[in-house]
Amino acid sequence: MAESKKELVLNAMDKKPVPRVPSGFWFHFLDDALHADAFAEPKLNARVLESELRYIDGFRPDFVKIMTDGFFAYRSPAVRKARTAAELARVRPLAEDDPWFERQIAYAKEITKRHGDEVATFYNLFCAGTTLKFMYPGALTEAEDFLLGLIHEDKEAVKAAFAVISADLATLARRLVKEAGVTGIYFSLQNHRGFGHDRSVYDEVFAPGEKEILRAANEASDYNILHICGYEGHHNKIDWYADYDVKTINWAVGVEGVPLEEGRKVFGGRAALGGFGNLPSDVLYSGSRAEVEAETRRILEKAGRTGILLGADCTVPNDIDWQRLDWVRAAAAEA
């Protein structure tokens, strides 16, 4: 009996032999995904759900990263209004029945009840630091300066706030698996830049909450993905995450200059997701069919076929022709 797409992906994550290397790509469904608020505008959630299901039904991907456009922000007035570390530290845990939990679980369940048996589904979650940056009204670079300014102002206050937010994110991760039926989470984080740009600050302030979220996810599922985000050219030292307990890792091979075969050495040979650049200038978006197929073969010749899931550095442009994604899948099946 042939493997289902879900079995194919889980076996790849387990580094078992697979008849073909699976692939998966994703894109935003809202024009301003960073600042969209589905709690203030419920119609946005309906639009994202409809678009996600249209993509799954139309393209039949090997696996699904459940996009969370409209749900990026943490539902806390204290966090949204905070402009000092002391104000940020006033955050309190959300109630168990808060809409921030319930709406996201309901959204994920709409996808898994239709497709959860046939394809693996990974719900997108951001770490506390990234969540706070998305809640800042300015550009991401300004948001990062703001967050690092808070750490400089009162590191202990920021650590206390991160602990509260991370605990709620950990609860959400666990409930998404147990109640919504997702396969696992796709957990996005990145190094900080600017003040305190060293590992000791990261390990003290950022890492504890991130590891707590992964512990909760791993308690609920063996199949979770870590995304070391290179969005807009954000450079990361991927070795900072070598001790993070997660089945599969996705990093920006283009931004970091670390191909799959080299990055896997950093992570002890664990499964890897990626290989393709995600920019309009990259071959996946702009190359000919022959070039996309050749790049697929090149990646697999270097990285091998075991413990590999083909994908991109991050989200691909939302106007990409889905046929291009199928070129990758077909070429991988023949490699």
Side-chain angles (χ1 to χ4, degrees):
M1 183 176 179
E3 287 180 315
S4 69
K5 288 182 177 179
K6 187 171 186 176
E7 291 170 327
L8 177 72
V9 168
L10 300 189
N11 284 338
M13 293 176 75
D14 282 330
K15 299 187 294 183
K16 295 179 179 178
V18 291
R20 66 176 177 85
V21 175
S23 61
F25 301 91
W26 43 87
F27 38 82
H28 290 296
F29 296 115
L30 299 179
D31 292 334
D32 186 8
L34 296 187
H35 301 111
D37 187 347
F39 297 105
E41 298 182 75
K43 65 181 181 181
L44 295 180
N45 185 200
R47 185 187 307 169
V48 172
L49 175 60
E50 179 184 2
S51 300
E52 185 90 72
L53 292 173
R54 185 185 308 118
Y55 171 61
I56 299 170
D57 289 335
F59 182 67
R60 316 302 291 186
D62 289 341
F63 64 93
V64 176
K65 177 197 167 191
I66 299 178
M67 301 300 288
T68 53
D69 300 6
F71 288 135
F72 285 11
Y74 179 67
R75 228 179 80 92
S76 167
V79 173
R80 190 173 294 280
K81 296 175 183 178
R83 292 298 176 265
T84 67
E87 291 172 342
L88 181 63
R90 293 174 189 160
V91 61
R92 294 294 178 265
L94 299 177
E96 185 177 335
D97 61 350
D98 191 277
W100 187 78
F101 293 118
E102 301 300 324
R103 291 268 306 279
Q104 294 191 73
I105 292 168
Y107 161 59
K109 193 179 292 186
E110 285 297 314
I111 295 170
T112 60
K113 74 181 183 182
R114 289 172 169 82
H115 300 287
D117 290 338
E118 62 188 78
V119 295
T121 54
F122 302 95
Y123 193 90
N124 181 63
L125 279 187
F126 296 101
C127 64
T130 301
T131 297
L132 286 175
K133 286 187 287 186
F134 286 159
M135 294 176 71
Y136 188 76
L140 280 179
T141 52
E142 296 171 345
E144 184 143 36
D145 289 342
F146 166 70
L147 176 57
L148 295 176
L150 296 182
I151 296 172
H152 184 65
E153 175 190 338
D154 189 342
K155 183 169 57 177
E156 295 304 316
V158 176
K159 286 167 60 178
F162 275 16
V164 172
I165 298 167
S166 296
D168 277 345
L169 285 163
T171 296
L172 179 59
R174 188 183 300 109
R175 293 183 64 185
L176 283 163
V177 175
K178 292 186 175 298
E179 298 177 34
V182 303
T183 305
I185 67 166
Y186 178 92
F187 185 45
S188 178
L189 42 65
Q190 56 186 192
N191 290 181
H192 60 290
R193 296 185 289 198
F195 164 76
H197 181 56
D198 61 67
R199 187 166 181 176
S200 64
V201 173
Y202 194 92
D203 284 348
E204 182 181 358
V205 179
F206 294 81
E210 294 167 354
K211 291 180 177 179
E212 178 185 357
I213 294 164
L214 281 177
R215 276 194 296 271
N218 289 333
E219 288 172 2
S221 171
D222 289 333
Y223 299 96
N224 297 295
I225 300 170
L226 180 69
H227 172 58
I228 306 169
C229 185
Y231 184 71
E232 292 188 344
H234 186 115
H235 179 68
N236 298 280
K237 297 177 181 178
I238 66 172
D239 63 323
W240 287 13
Y241 306 104
D243 66 341
Y244 277 46
D245 184 12
V246 67
K247 176 81 73 172
T248 301
I249 300 95
N250 171 222
W251 66 93
V253 298
V255 174
E256 316 303 351
V258 181
L260 295 182
E261 61 274 15
E262 293 299 321
R264 292 188 74 189
K265 297 175 184 177
V266 175
F267 297 107
R270 279 176 281 177
L273 162 63
F276 284 90
N278 68 310
L279 301 178
S281 56
D282 287 320
V283 65
L284 179 68
Y285 184 87
S286 62
S288 66
R289 177 170 184 168
E291 289 170 333
V292 172
E293 292 174 342
E295 180 66 1
T296 303
R297 291 191 294 270
R298 186 197 67 79
I299 292 169
L300 294 180
E301 285 170 4
K302 295 289 187 179
R305 300 179 72 258
T306 302
I308 296 294
L309 296 87
L310 290 168
D313 288 352
C314 199
T315 51
V316 299
N318 60 11
D319 64 347
I320 193 168
D321 186 339
W322 296 354
Q323 185 178 49
R324 294 180 162 276
L325 312 182
D326 207 38
W327 294 345
V328 173
R329 182 160 52 187
E334 297 174 357

